[in-house]
Amino acid sequence: MKVAVLGPGALGCLMAALFREAGADVSLVDYRPERVARLRLQGIQVHTLEGGRLVIKAPIGLGPEVGPCDLTIVAVKAYQTETAARTLPGLMSQGGMALTLQNGLGNLESIARIVGPERLLAGVGLLGVTRQDEGRIIYAGRGIIYIGAPSGSRVSRGEVAAVVNLFRRAGLSCQPREDIQAVLWEKLVINVGINPLTALLRVPNGVLLQLPEAWEVAVAAAQEAQTVAQAAGITLSGDPAARLRQVCTDTAANRSSMLQDILAGRPTEIEALNAQVATQGRALGLPTPVNDLLTRLLRAAAQSAPFKVG
Ligand code: PAF
């Protein structure tokens, strides 16, 4: 199976490196020629918390250089999905599949607008991976990845199983899911709790468990998201606080993706996370005051960057 990974961020680099290590035919795709040249030279460096370091030279190219692929993994930030999706028709082979492994809601819809829903897969990963520098990442938390065909997709069970096996051969724990829409919401419930709080307080995920007031806000945001999901007809089992606690424990040392964005002065994924809960809550007549406030604070944090003191 020929695979392209779109986006050389933390997740994209990790996927390309692990697949390459496992002998898969994988290429990393970027849109910036200077970065492609640098990454070709230096390779991808994967550091582990145990002090291990791997340098992997996976093929890296601009979209048009990477031939038609059977599977294209979209690993860009949610705010880049629309732009990245425009490269998909040139990357996907006839009958090829596109798999989004991104945070938040709205990515599937943006991709489907360009290539249609028929060959789409959604994946949800609870991995802790931090981008240290260009092409240099820390693999901090080994979680599970779920993959499934969302509604409107015609990807067969056999094809899903083949993709799941590809991930497993790369050493990742991966499972097929028929209810991937619910899994996307389960991850959203976690992200709306962990990401904005860790970004505002500038702490790793595990520290939230030690800050009772921050923890209460994170749990309240997650509970609102779960209530909105249920009102939207998505059945989520279990207690959001317990799920949040588990992920904070499993990825304790990890800097959330939103904290990494804030520290690097990049836009954050707040619009695909807490803002989505607020918007969908409004449409269903449900108040979401905690998600509203966190959305505003993160928007303000981004706007305030040029005025920072100290
Ligand atoms: O966005 C993230 O950082 C991740 O989804 C997670 C699971 C919160 C771990 O940091």
Side-chain angles (χ1 to χ4, degrees), residues 248-264:
C248 280
T249 307
D250 291 346
T251 64
N254 193 54
R255 293 178 173 187
S256 76
S257 50
M258 196 171 282
L259 171 57
Q260 294 180 53
D261 288 337
I262 284 280
L263 292 175

Side-chain angles (χ1 to χ4, degrees), residues 191-205 207-208 211 214 218 254-264 266-270 273-274 294 297-299 301-302 304 308:
N191 285 134
V192 300
I194 296 180
N195 293 30
L197 270 305
T198 51
L200 289 169
L201 301 172
R202 302 190 174 215
V203 295
N205 297 352
V207 172
L208 289 185
L211 305 174
N254 193 54
R255 293 178 173 187
S256 76
S257 50
M258 196 171 282
L259 171 57
Q260 294 180 53
D261 288 337
I262 284 280
L263 292 175
R266 291 189 294 260
T268 73
E269 294 186 311
I270 196 74
L273 300 176
N274 304 69
L294 289 172
L297 287 173
L298 260 298
R299 284 178 186 156
S304 68
K308 286 252 179 302

Side-chain angles (χ1 to χ4, degrees), residues 109-260:
E109 292 74 6
S110 298
I111 297 172
R113 273 197 289 280
I114 307 290
V115 293
E118 295 83 5
R119 301 300 295 162
L120 292 196
L121 286 174
V124 176
L126 291 165
L127 306 174
V129 48
T130 303
R131 180 185 182 278
Q132 263 198 319
D133 203 346
E134 198 171 83
R136 204 162 75 215
I137 56 170
I138 305 176
Y139 188 13
R142 280 159 220 271
I144 191 160
I145 297 179
Y146 297 108
I147 294 178
S151 67
S153 170
R154 302 249 174 86
V155 175
S156 69
R157 280 194 189 143
E159 289 173 308
V160 173
V163 174
V164 166
N165 277 333
L166 185 82
F167 276 71
R168 287 182 180 163
R169 281 199 298 276
L172 291 153
S173 137
C174 187
Q175 275 177 27
R177 289 287 290 251
E178 302 266 320
D179 57 343
I180 197 69
Q181 202 66 33
V183 187
L184 281 169
W185 270 93
E186 267 171 23
K187 171 96 189 279
L188 183 77
V189 165
I190 289 160
N191 285 134
V192 300
I194 296 180
N195 293 30
L197 270 305
T198 51
L200 289 169
L201 301 172
R202 302 190 174 215
V203 295
N205 297 352
V207 172
L208 289 185
L209 296 166
Q210 298 165 39
L211 305 174
E213 302 200 66
W215 180 249
E216 271 175 31
V217 178
V219 170
Q223 261 154 355
E224 278 182 11
Q226 177 132 335
T227 306
V228 171
Q230 254 134 15
I234 313 271
T235 312
L236 301 185
S237 54
D239 171 24
R243 221 177 296 131
L244 212 53
R245 182 176 296 281
Q246 188 62 52
V247 177
C248 280
T249 307
D250 291 346
T251 64
N254 193 54
R255 293 178 173 187
S256 76
S257 50
M258 196 171 282
L259 171 57
Q260 294 180 53

